[in-house]
């Protein structure tokens, strides 16, 4: 059976039967497997079932890491830690059953415009309580980040720490679960302590304290502290200056200079955090009831006046609202870029096409071959070697644009897609000012390189011009997901998306010595192109603002026969060697005639 049979997402996936559970729908996926919303039949309660990828289930190291997460969770029972319900094995893979958390992640909370410093500190105290409990039970997390913090809406928005897949046990008795090798870096780079980047095995609980410092800074300012950064009170007005020293101590490069325990960190945060009480309200006195009644009367009158003012304002803005139409429901960038954008227009760009027996290549921007692109949504200009999505016109309402290379004969097992991209905010115009007035601050511009197949099937690598995390998004049948990477630098960035012969999709930013991996690989499996419904094509897209894509290149190559090796690097086009003129050899020099040797002394005359 080929690996495609276990990872195919071009058709509905039939989950492995798990006794006692009914899988309902896929809610997420990552480097190790899938998470399904399910029902525990014995109790009729909703749970989350995490399935190890069947391909990885064949690897003993990955199975041990999966079992390690179960052991880590089983050792913990705390309101701020996601609880484990069960674990087991099917005929083809392993599974882990956890409580299902109905609510957003901390990543979504960080981006909320309603988040206040006091609310941030409340969240931080709950996160710290869960981590401190885990440390006291001998477990360090080693991958604390906003994606691994969930908020339980049914429990009043209680924060819960999850995903202990990289956890390490402090107790030597449990060393069988410690899978990290010495001098191996594991975790998420932006939230990782310096010592953990060098030697994850020997990183202790102070590495978690560093990660908590990064999370606290991001909660307060909305940014990740990279390189040289301002203290929180200077980065965002209104933040208590006492938090500057707390964050700075968490982020000390030397572990000895940080807090020794999370309890010490909580002791300094607690005086600044809002006080929550569970005491029942006391009955009001007669005087207090009179005061409350008077305030209610004033509030009702004030609300009536404000209602009249709002209705008048709505009447003035009604025409503008009618012209702008209904606001579309929020969509993921990849979904928006591959949605129905109207009829395609055709634009031609100089480029190069190479179709050999083993390798096929298209390069846009320079070359003797005209390349056709199907343009949908926003218009596209050709500026030298670049595809440019210009600012939207004043009467336009299309914020999304897409350009697909109209080259279909790109079949292969190994692929490499790359380009230099830039996303800029729109220039100030009457139209943008009107949108800001009606809709609030405009969304950040987004630019993407993509592989697109049949309708609704794609993989997109998205960059925001604001320095937000890079995003890998995919929708291939019923398997959909998003993976966030490190923050993107501002300005032009070089993005790459590669797939090897085993169907492992990896993404990169930068070139040469500055080339860095973005997130974890996405397991597609062999014959991965079939999962797109049709042979995938290279594409670029733009949402809001101005987007520029230059040096677009897409190469595919057939995998060599088994037993030989081939890498994605072989797809990088090399310059064709130019034959140099060969100089004619000079004629050999004529040798002077040989002289007769002189007669030897005493010789006889002939």
């Amino acid at each position: 059976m080929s690996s495609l049979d276990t990872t195919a997402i071009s058709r509905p996936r039939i989950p492995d039967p798990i006794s006692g559970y009914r899988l309902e729908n896929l809610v997420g996926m990552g480097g190790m497997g899938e998470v399904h919303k399910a029902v525990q039949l014995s109790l009729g309660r909703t749970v989350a079932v995490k399935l190890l990828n069947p391909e990885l289930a064949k690897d003993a190291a990955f199975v041990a890491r999966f079992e390690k997460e179960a052991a880590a969770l089983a050792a913990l029972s705390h309101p701020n830690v996601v609880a484990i319900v069960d674990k087991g094995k099917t005929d083809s893979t392993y599974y882990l059953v956890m409580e299902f958390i109905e609510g957003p992640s901390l990543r979504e909370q960080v981006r909320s415009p309603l988040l206040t410093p006091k609310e941030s500190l409340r969240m931080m105290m709950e996160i710290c309580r869960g981590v401190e409990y885990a440390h006291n039970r001998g477990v360090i997390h080693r991958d604390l980040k906003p994606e691994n913090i969930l908020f339980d809406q049914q429990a009043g928005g209680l924060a819960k720490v999850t995903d202990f897949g990289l956890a390490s046990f402090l107790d030597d008795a449990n060393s069988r679960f410690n899978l990290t090798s010495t001098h191996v870096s594991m975790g998420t780079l932006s939230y990782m302590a310096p010592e953990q980047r060098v030697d994850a095995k020997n990183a202790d609980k102070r590495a978690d304290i560093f990660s908590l410092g990064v999370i606290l800074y991001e909660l307060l300012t909305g940014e990740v502290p990279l390189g040289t950064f301002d203290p929180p009170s200077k980065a965002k007005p209104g933040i208590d200056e006492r938090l500057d020293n707390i964050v700075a101590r968490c982020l000390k490069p030397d572990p000895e200079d940080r807090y020794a325990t999370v309890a010490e960190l909580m002791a300094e945060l607690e005086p600044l955090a809002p006080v929550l009480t569970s005491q029942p309200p006391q009955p009001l006195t007669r005087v207090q009831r009179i005061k409350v009644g008077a305030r209610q009367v004033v509030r009702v009158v004030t609300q009536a006046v404000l209602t009249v003012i709002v209705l008048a304002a709505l009447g003035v803005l009604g025409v503008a609202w009618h012209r702008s139409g209904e606001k579309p429901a929020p969509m993921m960038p990849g979904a928006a870029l591959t949605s129905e954008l109207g009829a395609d227009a055709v634009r031609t760009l100089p480029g190069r096409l190479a179709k050999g027996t083993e390798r096929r290549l298209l390069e846009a921007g320079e070359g003797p071959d005209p390349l056709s692109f199907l343009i949908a949504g926003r218009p596209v200009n050709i500026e030298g070697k670049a595809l440019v999505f210009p600012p939207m016109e004043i009467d336009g309402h299309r914020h999304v644009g897409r350009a697909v290379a109209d080259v279909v004969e790109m079949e292969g097992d190994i692929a490499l897609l790359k380009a230099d991209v830039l996303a800029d905010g729109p220039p100030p115009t009457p139209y943008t000012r009107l949108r800001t007035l009606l809709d609030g601050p405009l969304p950040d511009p987004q630019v993407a390189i993509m592989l697109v197949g049949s309708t609704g099937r794609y993989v997109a690598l998205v960059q925001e011009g604001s320095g937000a995390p890079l995003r890998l998004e995919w929708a291939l049948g019923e398997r959909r997901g998003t993976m966030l990477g490190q923050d993107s630098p501002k300005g032009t960035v070089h993005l790459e998306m590669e797939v090897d012969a085993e169907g492992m999709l990896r993404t990169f930013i930068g070139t040469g010595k500055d080339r860095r991996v973005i997130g974890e690989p996405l397991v597609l499996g062999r014959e991965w192109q079939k999962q797109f419904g049709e042979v995938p094509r290279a594409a670029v897209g733009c949402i809001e603002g101005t987007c520029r894509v230059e040096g677009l290149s897409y190469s595919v190559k057939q995998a060599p026969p088994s037993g030989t090796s081939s890498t994605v690097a072989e797809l990088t086009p090399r310059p064709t060697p130019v034959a140099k003129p060969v100089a004619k050899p000079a004629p050999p020099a004529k040798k002077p005639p040989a002289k007769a040797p002189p007669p030897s002394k005493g010789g006889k005359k002939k």
Side-chain angles (χ1 to χ4, degrees), residues 48-98:
V49 175
K50 187 172 185 178
L51 294 172
L52 184 63
N53 187 294
E55 289 296 311
L56 300 181
K58 302 174 184 177
D59 189 325
F62 278 102
V63 172
R65 180 176 166 189
F66 195 78
E67 294 276 4
K68 175 184 175 181
E69 179 174 1
L73 285 173
L76 307 177
S77 177
H78 190 271
N80 298 117
V81 177
V82 172
I84 186 173
V85 176
D86 192 9
K87 77 178 183 73
K89 182 181 183 299
T90 68
D91 293 337
S92 59
T93 189
Y94 295 79
Y95 66 89
L96 179 66
V97 183
M98 300 169 289

Side-chain angles (χ1 to χ4, degrees), residues 148-193:
N148 288 341
I149 311 295
L150 303 178
F151 290 87
D152 191 347
Q153 291 179 336
Q154 294 184 351
L158 191 68
K160 289 179 176 283
V161 183
T162 186
D163 202 347
F164 281 78
L166 296 180
S168 173
F169 286 81
L170 303 178
D171 186 359
D172 291 337
N174 292 310
S175 60
R176 66 183 181 278
F177 295 116
N178 198 337
L179 304 180
T180 311
S181 302
T182 306
H183 306 305
V184 173
S185 171
M186 296 184 71
T188 303
L189 190 62
S190 300
Y191 300 86
M192 196 186 303

Side-chain angles (χ1 to χ4, degrees), residues 323-324 378 392-400 431 435:
R323 291 184 59 187
S324 64
R378 293 170 57 181
M392 292 170 289
E393 298 177 0
I394 187 169
D395 60 347
H397 63 277
R398 295 172 299 179
H399 313 313
V400 181
Y431 172 62
R435 282 192 63 197

Side-chain angles (χ1 to χ4, degrees), residues 314-327 397 438-439:
L314 289 176
V316 173
L317 297 177
V319 175
W321 178 259
H322 178 72
R323 291 184 59 187
S324 64
E326 284 190 10
K327 293 182 181 180
H397 63 277
L438 296 176
D439 303 334

Side-chain angles (χ1 to χ4, degrees), residues 355-371:
K355 296 182 180 180
T357 56
E358 295 183 356
R359 184 172 72 96
R360 297 174 182 269
L361 163 72
L362 72 85
E363 290 181 324
E366 188 176 40
D369 305 314
L371 295 182

